[in-house]
Amino acid sequence: MRELGTGIGWRPEIADAVEGLAGVDWVEVVAENLCAGHVPDSLLRLRERGVTVVPHGVSLGLGGADRPDAGRLAELAAKATALGAPLVTEHIAFVRAGGPLTASPALEAGHLLPVPRTWDALDVLCENVRIAQDALPVPLALENIAALFSWPGEELTEGRFLAELVERTGVRLLIDVANLHTNHVNRGEDPAKALAELPVEAIAYVHVAGGVERDGVWHDSHAHPVPPAVLDILSDLASRATLPGVLLERDDDFPPAQDLAAELAAIRATVRGAAARGTATRGTAAIRPAAPVAGAGGPAVALVGAGAAAGPGAPAGRGPAPRVAGAAAGRAVDDAPAPRVAGAGRPVAGAVPEGVRQRVGIAQAALLSALVAGTPAPEGFDRARLRVQSRALAAKRAGIVAKVAPELPEILGAGYRPAFLAYAGSRPLRGGHRRDALDFAEHLLIAGQPADPVARLRLTTWWRERAGARPPGRTGRLVRAARAALAGRRAA
């Protein structure tokens, strides 16, 4: 795997700071924030200096029940080409559910949600990954995500789930150590165990980020300094394997450039120190039984260490990913599913049956509906945690809408956030966040809000300037709301 070095997430808000930071070898950019034909000047200048740029996708939803959208894959491929990227990255997550596969309303999460660690979900994920690999011009790496809740009836640990994914597809891994910490706090999962089960030779690079704990729940905010606990997990990982790259993520509440530089320095020092401690033992891999997981179908096997040849009894294919004829240059992939470890569950099939996709899709649609549409929580979930997740999704929507339509919080003042959260509680995201802003404004106007007639008139004007043509029923309701607003202003 190509050596990347130490990097930072490029965001428009800190573009100048990133260009001025010493020792930045590479940057990562959110793919959905780019147009292939209009690369920001800051990124072009960084590329001219020899800084590698990696696109990081958030919307493919490879863990979803549907096959990946060909249009989204083509866009990601074009951005990778435009940036001259050595690889692209995405997430092990689902971001939408419902639709024709489940004969239910299509729903968007607007957020990365965890995939159930079951054999069915793994089968679907692996096929989706192979579809993506075939469509992309460079290798693909996938990131483990943070979660506020667990799925009931999971059959694999996180480490084993990732190991199976790599074994079957040859995909690389983007290990987010902050997400391992999040899952430790929120789900009681042991980061050290997850690292011990990982095929560390498949790591493309590592994410490091900060978060915050509120009421016993860790929120992976990317808006706070990196805590010592996250650096401890990074140290553990760096002592087990040579890391091709490590990247600092920061998405909000951006600090001064000197604070970013200090965090990068702490990351470099952590990796150097851990690598020195791990040199004596790295390369002496050993096979030991992993902790059994209920329903996993047989004894698990874990690989400890990095890159050593498998000894007797080792799982097939657990070494470096095999190369395949026809794969993109330099890509380590396996187009055919790798054999399952003996005794570790049902045999690996070829194409995933539609019935399996439907089962996964129905479960994901029921969960997402509970989170964004106010329907009852599916059986077996921690309802309190789902409420926390639901509030977090609504708050994230409110924040994004405030950025794409800053006039709304300006018009509504302190009433913006509570009004939006009330609106979002039973109205799923549809058609993107700009559409969401218009729907929210329409919702308020139909309800005769805001109460202040001047603010209501300003909101009516804002909506009319942006909404365009609408279906007759909705237009009629809005006209009535606008007339009521004007009448109220005259009466005042």
Side-chain angles (χ1 to χ4, degrees), residues 421-448:
L421 296 181
Y423 151 82
S426 59
R427 292 169 181 82
L429 176 68
R430 64 183 187 89
H433 291 96
R434 295 187 189 280
R435 177 79 265 162
D436 206 20
L438 290 169
D439 288 348
F440 170 54
E442 179 181 327
H443 164 75
L444 291 180
L445 291 171
I446 290 172

Side-chain angles (χ1 to χ4, degrees), residues 263-460:
E263 290 206 288
L264 288 170
I267 288 169
R268 292 188 192 98
T270 298
V271 172
R272 281 197 303 268
R277 291 193 302 274
T279 299
T281 57
R282 191 176 302 139
T284 57
I287 302 297
R288 65 169 175 78
V293 182
V301 179
L303 177 63
V304 182
R318 187 54 62 83
R323 295 203 176 274
V324 176
R331 183 196 301 172
V333 298
D334 186 353
D335 287 341
R340 178 85 59 141
V341 180
R346 65 174 180 271
V348 176
V352 176
E354 285 303 295
V356 173
R357 285 189 176 272
Q358 286 176 344
R359 285 199 299 272
V360 173
I362 289 169
Q364 291 179 344
L367 172 62
L368 187 51
S369 180
L371 292 175
V372 303
T375 58
E379 190 67 29
F381 283 93
D382 183 328
R383 285 168 169 75
R385 282 299 174 91
L386 291 192
R387 286 193 294 271
V388 172
Q389 181 70 82
S390 182
R391 290 195 297 270
L393 292 178
K396 182 177 181 179
R397 276 175 71 184
I400 295 174
V401 166
K403 288 182 177 180
V404 302
E407 302 87 354
L408 293 180
E410 193 273 325
I411 291 170
L412 299 173
Y416 166 75
R417 187 177 179 85
F420 190 93
L421 296 181
Y423 151 82
S426 59
R427 292 169 181 82
L429 176 68
R430 64 183 187 89
H433 291 96
R434 295 187 189 280
R435 177 79 265 162
D436 206 20
L438 290 169
D439 288 348
F440 170 54
E442 179 181 327
H443 164 75
L444 291 180
L445 291 171
I446 290 172
Q449 297 296 322
D452 175 58
V454 175
R456 194 160 64 247
L457 178 60
R458 290 180 64 197
L459 187 62
T460 301

Side-chain angles (χ1 to χ4, degrees), residues 9-20:
W10 184 92
R11 304 293 183 265
E13 297 90 339
I14 54 171
D16 291 342
V18 169
E19 287 189 62

Side-chain angles (χ1 to χ4, degrees), residues 48 59 140 202 220 235 329 351 414-415 439 443 463:
E48 289 170 359
S59 65
L140 172 67
D220 182 43
S235 177
D439 288 348
H443 164 75
W463 187 93

